[in-house]
Amino acid sequence: LTDEWVLYDSKSRLLHVVNSVGALVWAACDGETEIDTLAEELRATFESPPDQPAILADIADALARFRSDGLLE
């Protein structure tokens, strides 16, 4: 699982597998990191970074998944 993280939800006792983008988004879910800052950090991790709208869409998708899976408060 080199490009994936496993998140454990102790309330539901479920494991959630996220890809490398999801892992970076998860790590930034600290209540303080701005979306634009996270987008720039994500772009810096790619050799050929996608454009800003694509990165923002990936972040939104990851956050929506975390919410729907009950991982965010």
Side-chain angles (χ1 to χ4, degrees):
L1 296 178
T2 58
D3 291 341
E4 296 178 325
W5 278 22
V6 176
L7 306 175
Y8 177 67
D9 182 354
S10 61
K11 287 183 183 178
S12 67
R13 302 174 95 181
L14 293 174
L15 296 175
H16 303 269
V17 177
V18 296
N19 64 16
S20 58
V21 172
L24 291 169
V25 173
W26 178 257
C29 288
D30 59 7
E32 295 181 18
T33 302
E34 299 285 334
I35 298 288
D36 290 334
T37 302
L38 174 57
E40 286 305 312
E41 290 174 4
L42 280 172
R43 289 191 85 227
T45 65
F46 294 101
E47 286 184 30
S48 299
D51 61 12
Q52 186 78 354
I55 290 286
L56 292 172
D58 286 345
I59 292 170
D61 289 346
L63 291 172
R65 179 177 169 201
F66 297 155
R67 279 189 202 98
S68 70
D69 288 348
L71 297 171
L72 296 178
E73 295 180 352

